[in-house]
Amino acid sequence: MANTTSGTTVFDKNFAIDEIIEEAYERIGMQGVSGNQLRMARRSLNILFQEWGNRGLHYWQVANNNITLVADQAVYTMFRSTGDGTSDATAIYGVDDILEASFRNSNIDTPLTKINRSQYQALSNKTSTGTPTQYFVQRFIDRVTITLYLTPGSSEAGKFINFYYVKRIQDVGDYTNATDVPYRFVPCMASGLAFYLA
């Protein structure tokens, strides 16, 4: 008799938060956990996701979008959530970092150079207007900003900065939710949570 397989590849899609927590507790030898232990595990799972973000381990979250340039505006903001403010980029919230950017004019891209704060500070005239050639990123608690140099002028208004960015991993939320994690990270997630709970 030939071996048969399930024919499915969706285990991680249906692996709910409560089952992840149960798996982590079983790995440390605990069964039948209480409500307080469930809340603690959910909090620990959110902290684990933040740790992955700090380590740069969430590149499955890379996305692409545009910012419409405004004359004489050098700083553009993307907020953590709609409750924190209105992002300058269309419907973008939860940006963790900006990886690369280009000035886009009629679908022709000119790459921008990412610089750090010290390099930006060394620029002599930050109010000079023209086609942006450089940018630097600041990461705050509730927002990420991209500062352009040169500052877009009237001829750049209405054109775009096209950029690739890393999104934050979504919060755990309800116990019936799935996680915002690809299948290849499921073992790491269960082991990491068990480590936190131990």
Side-chain angles (χ1 to χ4, degrees):
M1 180 174 192
N3 291 335
T4 58
T5 63
S6 68
T8 64
T9 55
V10 295
F11 169 75
D12 55 307
K13 179 180 177 183
N14 301 313
F15 196 31
I17 300 300
D18 59 349
E19 291 183 286
I20 294 164
I21 291 170
E22 182 180 355
E23 173 68 19
Y25 273 120
E26 286 176 359
R27 288 179 181 215
I28 60 172
M30 292 182 65
Q31 292 184 346
V33 297
S34 68
N36 187 49
Q37 290 166 319
L38 287 171
R39 285 190 301 277
M40 180 180 67
R42 186 172 62 179
R43 180 180 61 235
S44 293
L45 192 54
N46 277 321
I47 293 169
L48 176 67
F49 292 160
Q50 290 176 338
E51 180 184 348
W52 286 0
N54 290 334
R55 291 183 181 195
L57 293 176
H58 62 308
Y59 282 103
W60 63 85
Q61 292 286 19
V62 173
N64 179 260
N65 213 312
N66 294 308
I67 297 172
T68 304
L69 298 178
V70 177
D72 302 319
Q73 180 179 337
V75 180
Y76 297 83
T77 304
M78 278 88 31
F79 286 95
R80 174 180 53 190
S81 69
T82 55
D84 295 320
T86 302
S87 294
D88 288 316
T90 307
I92 294 182
Y93 294 91
V95 172
D96 185 55
D97 198 4
I98 296 174
L99 301 174
E100 51 199 41
S102 298
F103 173 73
R104 180 168 285 176
N105 182 7
S106 301
N107 292 324
I108 297 173
D109 288 355
T110 305
L112 302 180
T113 302
K114 188 173 186 176
I115 60 176
N116 62 36
R117 184 181 292 113
S118 298
Q119 292 168 310
Y120 180 77
Q121 184 62 26
L123 297 171
S124 59
N125 186 357
K126 296 173 188 64
T127 60
S128 294
T129 60
T131 301
T133 58
Q134 300 173 317
Y135 70 99
F136 88 91
V137 177
Q138 294 186 92
R139 299 164 70 190
F140 299 98
I141 292 171
D142 61 345
R143 67 194 180 284
V144 169
T145 63
I146 180 171
T147 303
L148 303 175
Y149 179 82
L150 302 162
T151 299
S154 57
S155 60
E156 289 77 32
K159 296 177 174 66
F160 303 99
I161 294 297
N162 179 264
F163 63 101
Y164 282 92
Y165 66 100
V166 181
K167 299 181 287 183
R168 292 169 57 145
I169 300 171
Q170 293 177 23
D171 298 336
V172 171
D174 293 335
Y175 293 108
T176 56
N177 289 345
T179 58
D180 188 27
V181 173
Y183 78 95
R184 64 187 179 276
F185 273 75
V186 168
C188 302
M189 175 180 56
S191 296
L193 181 56
F195 174 79
Y196 276 20
L197 297 177

